[in-house]
Amino acid sequence: MDLSIKTEAFQQDDQSWLGSAHGTNAARTVTLDASTFAGLYPNGYIPSGTALAYIVGSTTKLGPYDPANTTTEPGVFIGHLFTAVKVPTDTSKPIGAALYEHGRVRAAKLPFTSGKGSVDAAAKADVKGQIIYV
């Protein structure tokens, strides 16, 4: 029996990017490929609101949407990470997460405003009618 003291850190989630409660009760379970999020989790957590897309060659694993389309399929932005998730030490392990794909989003409050994990005009067009950006 191991009775040693262990320390665990937790993340305070900032969901100020949500524009309303609409769609929050319908988040879909998805699988993230942790290896594709390099540089997007300096404190060990991928922040909620991160833009997500399917990984090239996969129809099940998601990574950060990349406006440069180098790691994600062109034009397959599908939504935002609903809650922050802890990245495992071994980034080859998949991460279970919740996908926010319907509702209102405050674009200025998203964690990334440019580069990987952000949305651009093409991404907004992909989810037009599902996500409203204000």
Side-chain angles (χ1 to χ4, degrees):
M1 179 184 301
D2 182 8
L3 297 176
S4 61
I5 296 174
K6 294 183 176 142
T7 303
E8 185 173 354
F10 293 91
Q11 168 73 23
Q12 174 124 6
D13 200 11
D14 178 8
Q15 290 186 319
S16 63
W17 57 272
L18 288 169
S20 70
H22 183 77
T24 59
N25 63 340
R28 178 168 52 110
T29 303
V30 294
T31 303
L32 305 180
D33 180 343
S35 67
T36 62
F37 288 88
L40 298 182
Y41 55 92
N43 63 353
Y45 289 82
I46 302 168
S48 68
T50 300
L52 300 175
Y54 288 106
I55 301 297
V56 171
S58 175
T59 58
T60 57
K61 288 189 179 179
L62 303 176
Y65 174 75
D66 187 354
N69 293 320
T70 57
T71 58
T72 54
E73 295 284 356
V76 191
F77 168 71
I78 60 169
H80 295 276
L81 183 62
F82 181 54
T83 58
V85 293
K86 185 172 177 64
V87 177
T89 305
D90 180 358
T91 58
S92 67
K93 294 183 179 181
I95 304 170
L99 176 69
Y100 182 77
E101 58 187 349
H102 181 76
R104 186 177 300 264
V105 170
R106 293 182 180 120
K109 297 278 188 171
L110 288 170
F112 305 105
T113 55
S114 64
K116 280 174 60 173
S118 68
V119 293
D120 59 1
K124 290 176 182 178
D126 287 341
V127 293
K128 186 175 182 179
Q130 294 174 288
I131 298 177
I132 299 168
Y133 291 91
V134 294

